[in-house]
Amino acid sequence: MRDRNLWNHSCAEQFDAPILDADLTADLLIIGGGFTGCSAALEAEKQGAKVVLIEARTIGFGGSGRNVGLVNAGLWLPPDTVCQRMGQAAGERLNTTLAEAPDAVFSLIDEHGIQCEAIRNGTLHCAHSKGGLDDLITRYEQQLRRGAPVQLLDAAQTAQATGTDVYYGALQDMRAGTLQPLGYVRGLARAAAQAGTQIFENSSVMQLGFSGDWLARCKSGSVRAKSLILATNAYHTGFRGAESVRMTPVNFFQLATPPLPASLLNEILGQHQGCWDTGLVMTSFRKDKAGRFILGAMGLPDRMGIHENWARRAMARLFPGLKDQSFEFFWSGRIGMSVDYIAKIQRLGERGYSAFGFSGRGIGPGTVIGRSLARAVLNGDETALPIAPIDAYQDKLRVAKGLWIEAGARAIHFTGAR
């Protein structure tokens, strides 16, 4: 069961591409076949550019194909905190852009007929404690000031919406929704390829350099391009000319049951909302189209089964009717966590950019940032980017923070203190 990814099993979108085995030229080279890279490729084709996208493994192999599948509006941070960390004008610019991100995602799904189980019935941010409810009240007030279609649910309303009475309340955001993340990213790749993008899988870049143009060398081919977007995020392996981005290492695992019996389907998340809680070590839960219950949390699957055993107890606590349910799928992925939980755009040189650090919010931000990067790199104007580019990035405490997060997750999950 370990490392069995549900999304690989249930994905309706099929996509495959050849290995790069020739020397090519392009207007834009994209390295990385996730949400950001595929969105950038599709937008660049709309702008009339000749695009080549290289993926070291397969489209959606990284975080995009291991995602929870919540299409959220905004960042993990409250909008006022975004402004405090970025400055008022820059923060509101990013808040506004990401508030509209679900519109961009669901519009692309409709436009290109992407088969990804898309449901736009909102998401629920659930208060696991009284302190968590206070946090949601603050977020609710901040979102209301910005005209967001959010609603604060009390405990009874939350129980009715979710099917469990363990939460103190929830913040409902009707801009948001759920999807099958691998289906979404493969659909973006398919649309980009149909528009003209040359996509190559299983083609690891070995060396990257710039001398008038960007030149990427793989084992059996190369690409020379005027512009570059590096979109590998948490799955960047590092190669000559592009060292690994030094972000906090954070892992997130998920488990999924077989399809639930009809007697439970309407009792648990009857409207198919995606949910996550206010816990320091966050937990998520949702259903897929087939009616499987999917539970996720921070942590790296271990040989002792700490996280898996916790998941069984947590599922039974949330929904006693599921106490005898087994898990059919179990997979995990890496999150690109930035030092301040705000995504980054970094200049790599002339007409070259990298995007990373979505901090668990890859679908919406990846889609709109990829799109905006394509426009900026092709027209040479970065002023329209939702985030001002930086020239360098580092997180000196990344290793210690990563170990602390994993240790905290294991401690909480070992004791079952939730």
Side-chain angles (χ1 to χ4, degrees), residues 288-308:
D288 72 351
K289 182 179 180 180
R292 298 180 182 89
F293 180 76
I294 306 167
L295 180 70
M298 289 183 178
L300 180 66
D302 59 281
R303 293 182 179 179
M304 295 182 290
I306 291 173
H307 297 312
E308 183 177 350

Side-chain angles (χ1 to χ4, degrees), residues 259-281:
L260 299 180
S263 59
L264 293 174
L265 277 177
N266 292 329
E267 294 180 13
I268 299 173
L269 296 173
Q271 298 300 313
H272 287 267
Q273 301 97 330
C275 306
W276 75 103
D277 70 11
T278 54
L280 180 62
V281 178

Side-chain angles (χ1 to χ4, degrees), residues 45 73 95 107 110 115 120 131 150-151 194 216 218-219 228 234 249 259 285 291 308 313 329 338 349 401 403-404 409:
E45 289 292 347
N95 285 331
S107 292
D110 291 340
Q115 301 177 73
R120 198 173 188 183
V150 295
Q151 182 179 356
Q194 290 172 343
C218 300
K219 184 177 181 180
L228 169 73
F285 60 98
E308 183 177 350
R313 298 191 303 271
F329 298 91
S338 68
K401 288 193 294 186
L403 291 173
W404 179 81

Side-chain angles (χ1 to χ4, degrees), residues 26 308 312 322:
E308 183 177 350
R312 297 181 191 281
L322 300 183

Side-chain angles (χ1 to χ4, degrees), residues 52 60 87 106 140 152 194 196 199-200 210 215 221 239 244 251 273 308 320 340:
V52 173
F106 288 105
Y140 170 70
L152 190 65
Q194 290 172 343
I199 299 178
F200 299 95
F210 181 84
L215 178 63
F239 44 80
S244 297
N251 296 279
Q273 301 97 330
E308 183 177 350
D340 58 1

Side-chain angles (χ1 to χ4, degrees), residues 66-412:
R66 303 167 188 271
N67 196 279
V68 176
L70 306 187
V71 187
N72 286 304
L75 292 172
W76 176 74
L77 297 172
D80 282 6
T81 303
V82 174
C83 292
Q84 292 166 6
R85 295 185 180 182
M86 297 183 70
Q88 190 66 32
E92 289 297 6
R93 181 179 182 179
L94 181 59
N95 285 331
T96 299
T97 298
L98 297 187
E100 299 169 352
D103 286 340
V105 171
F106 288 105
S107 292
L108 285 171
I109 292 169
D110 291 340
E111 179 182 355
H112 299 286
I114 298 175
Q115 301 177 73
C116 61
E117 303 180 16
I119 298 177
R120 198 173 188 183
N121 284 345
T123 54
L124 296 168
H125 191 178
C126 301
H128 78 296
S129 66
K130 292 182 179 179
L133 181 59
D134 290 339
D135 175 61
L136 292 187
I137 292 171
T138 298
R139 291 171 181 264
Y140 170 70
E141 293 170 347
Q142 293 179 18
Q143 294 287 9
L144 273 189
R145 292 200 301 269
R146 292 168 172 84
V150 295
Q151 182 179 356
L152 190 65
L153 308 184
D154 62 22
Q157 292 170 315
T158 302
Q160 183 177 11
T162 61
T164 177
D165 60 3
V166 305
Y167 294 113
Y168 290 75
L171 181 60
Q172 179 175 264
D173 190 337
M174 294 306 297
R175 296 170 296 183
T178 62
L179 50 69
Q180 213 275 23
L182 184 58
Y184 175 58
V185 70
R186 282 183 179 175
L188 290 177
R190 170 181 57 78
Q194 290 172 343
T197 296
Q198 292 179 275
I199 299 178
F200 299 95
E201 296 179 312
N202 299 301
S203 302
S204 298
V205 175
M206 303 171 64
Q207 183 178 353
L208 179 69
F210 181 84
S211 180
D213 288 324
W214 289 96
L215 178 63
R217 297 187 182 278
C218 300
K219 184 177 181 180
S220 55
S222 66
V223 180
R224 184 180 295 276
K226 299 175 183 177
S227 303
L228 169 73
I229 294 175
L230 182 63
T232 48
N233 199 18
Y235 282 77
H236 186 70
T237 56
F239 44 80
R240 288 184 60 189
E243 295 182 354
S244 297
V245 178
R246 299 179 180 274
M247 291 182 290
T248 300
V250 178
N251 296 279
F252 199 91
F253 67 88
Q254 296 182 78
L255 303 98
T257 68
L260 299 180
S263 59
L264 293 174
L265 277 177
N266 292 329
E267 294 180 13
I268 299 173
L269 296 173
Q271 298 300 313
H272 287 267
Q273 301 97 330
C275 306
W276 75 103
D277 70 11
T278 54
L280 180 62
V281 178
M282 185 192 76
T283 299
S284 67
F285 60 98
R286 56 166 295 194
K287 294 188 301 187
D288 72 351
K289 182 179 180 180
R292 298 180 182 89
F293 180 76
I294 306 167
L295 180 70
M298 289 183 178
L300 180 66
D302 59 281
R303 293 182 179 179
M304 295 182 290
I306 291 173
H307 297 312
E308 183 177 350
N309 290 332
W310 164 84
R312 297 181 191 281
R313 298 191 303 271
M315 183 171 67
R317 176 174 176 263
L318 285 169
F319 302 101
L322 300 183
K323 65 179 180 179
D324 296 324
Q325 284 289 325
S326 62
F327 288 116
E328 186 178 9
F329 298 91
F330 187 10
W331 70 103
S332 67
R334 293 195 297 273
I335 294 174
M337 188 76 74
S338 68
V339 66
D340 58 1
Y341 309 110
I342 295 173
K344 306 299 176 191
I345 297 175
Q346 182 177 343
R347 299 184 188 91
L348 300 179
E350 189 174 343
R351 303 188 305 278
Y353 296 91
S354 175
F356 56 90
F358 298 108
S359 301
R361 289 293 180 95
I363 298 176
T367 298
V368 297
I369 289 174
R371 181 177 64 184
S372 65
L373 271 175
R375 296 169 180 169
V377 77
L378 292 174
N379 64 28
D381 181 12
E382 62 182 36
T383 59
L385 290 170
I387 304 169
I390 56 177
D391 293 317
Y393 173 85
Q394 65 175 349
D395 180 358
K396 295 180 180 179
L397 299 177
R398 63 192 181 279
V399 175
K401 288 193 294 186
L403 291 173
W404 179 81
I405 291 172
E406 181 62 34
R410 292 196 182 194
I412 288 174

